[in-house]
Amino acid sequence: MEEKNVSRITKIHLLGLQTPHSITFLIFFLFLLIYFVTICGNLLIIRLVSYSKSLHSPMYFFLFQLSLSDILLVTDILPNILHTVLMKGIIISFSDCITQFSFFSASEGLECLLLTVMCYDRYVAICKPLHYTLLMNFQLCWVMIITCWVLSLLVGLITTLPISQLDFCGPDIINHFFFDLDPILHLSCSDAANVLLEVAILNVIVVVIPFFIIIISYVYIIITIFNIPSITGRQKVFSTCSSHLTVVCIYYGSIVCVYLVPHRGQSGNITKFLSLLYTVVTPLMNPIIYSLRNKDLKDAAAKIVNHCLHSHISKFT
């Protein structure tokens, strides 16, 4: 019996956002600005949490990790966007495509897990305040963070290894701005049923279960808030979790629209726009939302600025 010769593609043409030529540079500088603000904003939070003793608590420890995750995510996605906007598409080797998808899968998995851990921290702080110090000790925090990182790395490996074993015979064009699962599998001429099953199981573990944990936690949080007699007390308690709730709504809302809503009749541009929400907008908004809504972070930033100003003035006096 003769074996079929399958010509495996080695290069992939990534089309990107396909913006009109007249606004190419405007779009490029917009995304460049977003990249700069995202990196600086998340580095600022990392700096504040690292050097401000008042922020050495579980909530800010998890926020520190979320900022690291956001930096990894945008660094994986935005350089490709910038390149495709300028060049109207780029050609990338298949191995680089798989590598980028691996980092993307790991970053997204880490984001989901960290948001869940942060939600658990808020649940304990609001629903079990007397036991907070005992339950949320730093030993447990480190165990949860290490577990999140290890699981996310496993997600990256488990999702990409089976894909790399498939035969890819074309077409060699992906109409997206990054390498996601569906666009990659559309290039394959192999049976991808096993890959889809493995990815579905991983999504249940890393995305669906954490999402339900977050929903259940917030149900208990809201019930506890409504049981507080004073309106001022309710507002004060709700403010401690409003930033996290805002981020969760943006992040999971866009993921649900992209991956769970049927794509039939949905244009590629709509899918790209929704994908921008959780790959670009969320990492940009996280430091802004947490900084604007958090008095401790603003106070810590003010102290560091004052310290820098006094040190600078003292050199000239």
Side-chain angles (χ1 to χ4, degrees):
M1 189 176 181
E2 278 188 17
E3 289 186 4
K4 280 188 177 180
N5 290 323
V6 179
S7 57
R8 187 183 176 94
I9 58 174
T10 57
K11 303 279 185 182
I12 295 175
H13 187 196
L14 189 68
L15 295 181
L17 294 175
Q18 295 295 297
T19 56
H21 185 72
S22 58
I23 59 170
T24 293
F25 286 103
L26 176 63
I27 298 296
F28 174 81
F29 285 113
L30 174 63
F31 279 110
L32 186 63
L33 178 64
I34 289 172
Y35 191 31
F36 176 78
V37 173
T38 302
I39 296 295
C40 290
N42 283 290
L43 284 177
L44 176 62
I45 286 182
I46 291 171
R47 162 83 178 182
L48 292 175
V49 174
S50 299
Y51 291 95
S52 300
K53 290 182 180 179
S54 61
L55 301 181
H56 289 177
S57 65
M59 182 173 74
Y60 297 109
F61 176 64
F62 296 141
L63 183 58
F64 177 100
Q65 301 296 326
L66 186 66
S67 293
L68 283 179
S69 173
D70 287 337
I71 289 172
L72 290 175
L73 180 58
V74 294
T75 303
D76 186 46
I77 299 295
L78 269 170
N80 270 351
I81 294 180
L82 293 169
H83 199 173
T84 55
V85 167
L86 271 186
M87 306 303 294
K88 298 301 178 186
I90 54 175
I91 295 175
I92 299 178
S93 69
F94 184 76
S95 58
D96 288 343
C97 158
I98 294 297
T99 302
Q100 189 259 299
F101 176 67
S102 177
F103 278 103
F104 166 72
S105 301
S107 300
E108 288 296 314
L110 181 59
E111 199 94 359
C112 292
L113 294 171
L114 287 175
L115 288 174
T116 308
V117 167
M118 294 172 76
C119 181
Y120 176 71
D121 173 71
R122 292 299 83 207
Y123 163 76
V124 176
I126 294 171
C127 299
K128 300 179 182 295
L130 298 178
H131 300 91
Y132 181 78
T133 308
L134 181 64
L135 292 174
M136 294 303 297
N137 57 72
F138 271 97
Q139 185 178 357
L140 176 63
C141 292
W142 273 109
V143 169
M144 288 194 290
I145 288 303
I146 291 170
T147 302
C148 289
W149 280 93
V150 170
L151 283 176
S152 64
L153 291 174
L154 286 174
V155 166
L157 285 173
I158 293 171
T159 52
T160 51
L161 286 176
I163 292 173
S164 62
Q165 303 302 313
L166 298 175
D167 290 317
F168 291 87
C169 46
D172 60 352
I173 297 173
I174 288 182
N175 184 19
H176 215 316
F177 59 86
F178 71 101
F179 297 103
D180 204 355
L181 179 65
D182 282 345
I184 292 174
L185 292 183
H186 283 155
L187 308 184
S188 174
C189 46
S190 302
D191 183 9
N194 290 335
V195 175
L196 290 170
L197 179 61
E198 289 176 10
V199 171
I201 293 169
L202 281 175
N203 283 339
V204 169
I205 296 170
V206 177
V207 180
V208 178
I209 292 176
F211 181 56
F212 279 108
I213 290 173
I214 290 172
I215 290 175
I216 293 167
S217 298
Y218 269 107
V219 168
Y220 281 105
I221 287 171
I222 290 169
I223 291 171
T224 303
I225 289 173
F226 276 112
N227 286 333
I228 297 173
S230 69
I231 295 175
T232 307
R234 289 178 193 171
Q235 291 174 342
K236 187 177 179 181
V237 172
F238 183 74
S239 67
T240 64
C241 60
S242 58
S243 301
H244 179 264
L245 185 58
T246 304
V247 170
V248 167
C249 289
I250 296 172
Y251 183 74
Y252 275 101
S254 55
I255 283 183
V256 167
C257 290
V258 171
Y259 294 107
L260 298 183
V261 174
H263 289 190
R264 188 174 297 173
Q266 190 180 94
S267 73
N269 289 331
I270 293 174
T271 302
K272 289 179 187 179
F273 173 76
L274 292 171
S275 298
L276 279 173
L277 289 178
Y278 66 90
T279 57
V280 175
V281 175
T282 302
L284 169 69
M285 295 303 295
N286 282 353
I288 295 172
I289 290 170
Y290 280 105
S291 299
L292 291 177
R293 288 174 169 268
N294 193 291
K295 186 178 181 298
D296 293 336
L297 281 174
K298 288 189 281 188
D299 290 344
K303 284 180 183 177
I304 289 179
V305 170
N306 289 333
H307 177 73
C308 291
L309 286 175
H310 285 308
S311 299
H312 186 71
I313 291 170
S314 63
K315 289 180 181 178
F316 296 95
T317 56

